[in-house]
Amino acid sequence: MKLPICSFDAKTGVLCPKCEEKLAKGIISKTDVEVSMKLVKLASDHPSLDKITLKRAIDLGDAMVLVLGSGDLARLREERGLYSALRKTLGKRVWAVEEDASDRRMLEDLVYPAKIASMNIIWLPDGTKLTKAVIPGRRTERFPVDLDQVERIFKVVKGVDLKIEFERT
Ligand SMILES: [Zn+2]
């Protein structure tokens, strides 16, 4: 597993001077360090984790976002039960995204298995832009994805103001 800190540090639970400095300079966060250490422990029971790259981890309070390397989502989905093991280890809802995914790809990954009908940038009168995404059909009681959280993830990971709506109300 590739981590924001040395794997040796993650295994021993102690940061080397180089990683300490990165943390002090804000190149990596406390969350990156904590999540790296937890993932290394979890990887002993879940070898699929060994193949992934954790770029950074973002704590949203009630959820954790794992920003991963290219192709890692497929690796995570390969193993049944891995998401629930992650949720248990990290103590909150876990979302995973790939760092280099386009806006559209990232959104599709986050709302999966729901689909995206369209995604457009709208310029507001004050010169700021808003990305509007539309999900086909109408929102039902059973809609499985927390869209407010998806919008927050877009803001923190991509710096994009996203508004998700349903095609029909
Ligand atoms: Zn280190």
Side-chain angles (χ1 to χ4, degrees):
M1 187 172 7
K2 292 204 185 82
L3 299 165
I5 58 173
C6 313
S7 354
F8 184 78
D9 303 2
K11 279 178 192 136
T12 57
V14 181
L15 291 184
C16 71
K18 230 171 147 182
C19 290
E20 275 292 359
E21 197 190 329
K22 278 197 211 163
L23 180 62
K25 285 185 174 163
I27 298 166
I28 58 172
S29 70
K30 228 178 146 229
T31 306
D32 292 336
V33 175
E34 286 166 5
V35 170
S36 296
M37 290 176 180
K38 286 178 179 168
L39 290 192
V40 160
K41 278 205 191 89
L42 192 63
S44 56
D45 294 326
H46 298 276
S48 328
L49 281 177
D50 281 329
K51 298 179 227 153
I52 66 155
T53 302
L54 177 70
K55 303 277 188 179
R56 57 196 172 113
I58 302 160
D59 194 345
L60 292 180
D62 50 355
M64 184 70 78
V65 186
L66 304 179
V67 182
L68 305 177
S70 173
D72 284 347
L73 280 186
R75 292 183 187 105
L76 283 191
R77 286 177 189 149
E78 261 170 31
E79 195 191 315
R80 253 188 122 87
L82 184 54
Y83 267 94
S84 56
L86 281 167
R87 186 182 312 141
K88 214 172 143 200
T89 299
L90 298 172
K92 51 186 82 180
R93 171 91 211 259
V94 173
W95 298 81
V97 295
E98 289 178 10
E99 188 181 55
D100 60 359
S102 65
D103 290 358
R104 171 100 190 200
R105 251 281 315 285
M106 192 174 285
L107 183 60
E108 283 168 348
D109 287 336
L110 288 168
V111 302
Y112 181 86
K115 299 264 182 283
I116 300 298
S118 67
M119 196 169 178
N120 295 297
I121 293 171
I122 295 162
W123 289 94
L124 301 175
D126 65 359
T128 57
K129 62 180 181 178
L130 179 73
T131 298
K132 204 178 123 185
V134 177
I135 292 180
R138 155 185 301 132
R139 183 195 282 268
T140 62
E141 288 288 318
R142 291 171 303 147
F143 189 75
V145 184
D146 181 341
L147 296 177
D148 291 338
Q149 226 161 50
V150 171
E151 290 173 359
R152 278 167 69 208
I153 293 168
F154 253 74
K155 187 68 186 172
V156 294
V157 176
K158 291 250 181 206
V160 168
D161 287 303
L162 177 69
K163 183 84 196 108
I164 305 170
E165 286 170 359
F166 282 79
E167 206 168 37
R168 287 180 285 139
T169 46

